[in-house]
Amino acid sequence: MRFMMLLNIDEKSVPAGGPSPELMAEMGKLLDEMTKAGVLLDTAGLRPTSEGTRLHLKDGKIEATDGPFAEAKEVIGGYALIQAASKEEAVEWATRFLGVHGDEWELTSEIRQVEEPGAELG
């Protein structure tokens, strides 16, 4: 089963200077372990909302709004697409993923199973 780990972050709470070299090293170790275990399919951080565009469909019309988005407190700051045998295993990997960030970050990870064509959701 594939799971999407969405990493939600309050952009105002990001430590000055972004991730430390130590965090990047620890994250690199974990991502390497996940890759070797055949779990990690893809991962990336996302650029700030100030560089994004939001599209909204209503009544058949599409409206575009450039960032930053004032009403957004938490936004998706990154993601990981993983392959896991169960939701419990996906939660374990997400727990480790969050854990390497230490106590200077405030993050939330939402883990959702990817719908596979023709497969039952577990």
Side-chain angles (χ1 to χ4, degrees), residues 56-69:
H56 182 77
L57 172 66
K58 183 176 178 182
D59 299 326
K61 296 179 182 175
I62 298 175
E63 184 178 305
T65 305
D66 289 332
F69 310 115

Side-chain angles (χ1 to χ4, degrees), residues 104-115:
E104 65 177 354
W105 290 79
E106 184 175 341
L107 305 168
T108 301
S109 184
E110 181 178 337
I111 299 96
R112 296 176 54 191
Q113 187 174 350
V114 175
E115 284 196 51

Side-chain angles (χ1 to χ4, degrees), residues 33-51:
E33 180 183 346
M34 292 173 77
T35 300
K36 288 179 181 174
V39 172
L40 185 63
L41 302 176
D42 190 27
T43 188
L46 300 175
R47 301 290 299 164
T49 59
S50 61
E51 299 176 20

Side-chain angles (χ1 to χ4, degrees), residues 87-108:
K87 181 179 178 183
E88 292 75 22
E89 181 186 353
V91 169
E92 287 177 30
W93 284 111
T95 300
R96 290 187 60 196
F97 192 87
L98 289 179
V100 300
H101 287 82
D103 45 356
E104 65 177 354
W105 290 79
E106 184 175 341
L107 305 168
T108 301

